[in-house]
Amino acid sequence: MNVADDKTIVKDYFNSTGFDRWKRIYGDGEVNKVQLDIRNGHQQTVDKVINWLQADGNLAQLSICDAGCGVGSLSIPLAESGAKVYASDISEMMVGEAKERAASIFGNNDNPSFDVQDLAALSGKYHTVICLDVLIHYPVNEASTMISHLCSLAESRIILSFAPKTFALSLLKKIGSFFPGASKATRAYLHREADVVKVLSANGFTVKRSSMTKTRFYFSRLLEATR
């Protein structure tokens, strides 16, 4: 199945049953043990990114593109820290939820700003481009194209997270335990870290910081690369 079909599946999923599921996971309400584990893992990744940027001491001076923003879990705290944030997601429902959450904090402020867009349609220039837990929806043969496009938007830095392709995770995925539960409705693509680094290097970026988040059901490799 080609990438266009995968995008349609992802878009439809996150505009229907997937939206309800992930809205709960990214919220603070009651969830089951698996969802709580994923929530905690994702939040760890978000917190690491925020800590990295805050440690640099210039967050309020930055323009940031949050590509695949979901319900605003990263965009909103970055805007609270003073960054100028442009956020987008393929799901209209996700973007709608993110706008509501932002409005409850910032009122009618236009920062962060949210838009419904596919990664491939993103344009403009930003000091930092961030894409968290999105590449898992892209086939291996399309990931390099998406990463290269995101690199073209970044003036100074790109931060990516992805599910790393290791023997252990490949085995889990093969036996159907990577994303457990009846609500699993999208493909989960694993990516070799060496392949991701190679694409970043080809686009003029060098990895400066990295981290791994691993819980029972959530696995995410985080890379920060700069020009």
Side-chain angles (χ1 to χ4, degrees), residues 28-211:
D28 54 11
E30 185 176 349
V31 290
N32 64 41
K33 291 182 179 180
V34 172
Q35 292 171 335
L36 180 60
D37 182 87
I38 295 172
R39 173 192 289 174
N40 292 337
H42 177 75
Q43 189 60 49
Q44 287 178 40
T45 296
V46 169
D47 289 344
K48 287 176 184 178
V49 171
I50 294 172
N51 289 338
W52 283 355
L53 299 186
Q54 289 179 337
D56 291 341
N58 63 342
L59 187 51
Q61 303 168 28
L62 303 186
S63 61
I64 296 176
C65 175
D66 183 8
C69 65
V71 296
S73 303
L74 176 66
S75 299
I76 292 172
L78 289 180
E80 287 181 304
S81 295
K84 181 66 176 179
V85 182
Y86 170 77
S88 67
D89 198 277
I90 196 172
S91 166
E92 183 177 354
M93 296 287 284
M94 286 288 188
V95 169
E97 176 66 17
K99 287 181 177 179
E100 289 185 12
R101 294 186 181 191
S104 70
I105 298 172
F106 303 106
N108 294 324
N109 196 323
D110 62 355
N111 184 44
S113 64
F114 294 96
D115 197 9
V116 180
Q117 276 197 316
D118 174 7
L119 291 188
L122 291 175
S123 60
K125 290 291 184 179
Y126 310 89
H127 177 279
T128 298
V129 173
I130 303 173
C131 185
L132 300 185
D133 296 348
V134 173
L135 291 176
I136 196 168
H137 301 301
Y138 283 83
V140 174
N141 61 341
E142 296 292 339
S144 60
T145 300
M146 289 297 99
I147 295 172
S148 293
H149 178 61
L150 293 174
C151 286
S152 74
L153 308 177
E155 295 175 334
S156 299
R157 172 172 52 197
I158 182 167
I159 299 175
L160 301 172
S161 73
F162 55 93
K165 188 170 186 178
T166 64
F167 175 79
L169 292 188
S170 296
L171 182 60
L172 282 174
K173 182 175 183 291
K174 186 175 182 180
I175 64 177
S177 298
F178 189 75
F179 279 120
S183 56
K184 179 175 69 174
T186 60
R187 296 173 179 81
Y189 295 103
L190 310 181
H191 300 285
R192 297 184 189 279
E193 182 172 350
D195 294 339
V196 175
V197 172
K198 183 177 180 180
V199 177
L200 291 171
S201 178
N203 284 276
F205 287 86
T206 302
V207 174
K208 296 298 184 181
R209 288 185 282 204
S210 64
S211 182

